[in-house]
Amino acid sequence: MEAENLITYARNAREYAYAPYSRFKVGAALLGKSGKVYTGCNVENASCSAGICAERCALSKAVSEGEREFVAIAVICDLKGPCTPCGICRQVLAEFNPDMQVIMANLVGNTKISNISELLPDAFGKANRLHG
Ligand code: THU
């Protein structure tokens, strides 16, 4: 799938963002190895730390539907430059595929393509554990 295509899914999902506290809407679209696309948006809460980012929303939807292998994720928000995933989302995405392509975008067409290993070098992970 083309990066532009995945960005379009993310842009559409952003419309559903529930962000009454930050008023900052984010959309994500995660491409599974199966070819299926899982979308997500940020869902905030009056108890701030209970909110979830768009990327983890998409990932939770995917894993809960049986998909565990991912090729790429697109993230979009209204910033001057491309929307870069937060540290927690980088860690959570690294759990499933450190080589996952990350397509970052904003509403006016700026894009940047990277991958999780580049965005989160030396990530903590089960592969590095000495025991079990
Ligand atoms: N947010 C995301 O959805 N993804 C990110 O990678 C960064 C931040 C959301 C969380 C919160 O609802 C809002 O953006 C402001 O931080």
Side-chain angles (χ1 to χ4, degrees), residues 42-117:
N42 51 332
V43 182
E44 297 184 347
N45 192 273
S47 173
C48 294
S49 59
I52 190 167
C53 291
E55 299 91 320
R56 279 176 289 139
C57 171
L59 184 87
S60 299
K61 283 171 68 180
V63 174
S64 66
E65 288 181 28
E67 186 110 35
R68 289 188 181 178
E69 292 184 82
F70 305 105
V71 178
I73 187 166
V75 194
I76 191 166
C77 64
D78 189 13
L79 285 177
K80 276 187 190 163
C83 189
T84 59
C86 83
I88 296 173
C89 289
R90 292 176 196 203
Q91 175 69 32
V92 171
L93 294 168
E95 176 79 16
F96 291 89
N97 180 11
D99 298 320
M100 192 186 310
Q101 189 180 53
V102 182
I103 303 156
M104 296 160 273
N106 67 6
L107 299 183
V108 293
N110 296 116
T111 58
K112 183 183 172 185
I113 297 183
S114 185
N115 59 62
I116 289 293
S117 313

Side-chain angles (χ1 to χ4, degrees), residues 5-29:
N5 214 337
L6 207 56
I7 291 171
T8 301
Y9 276 103
R11 184 186 284 267
N12 292 336
R14 182 180 169 274
E15 294 299 320
Y16 296 118
Y18 176 72
Y21 303 101
S22 72
R23 303 209 175 278
F24 187 75
K25 295 178 168 195
V26 186

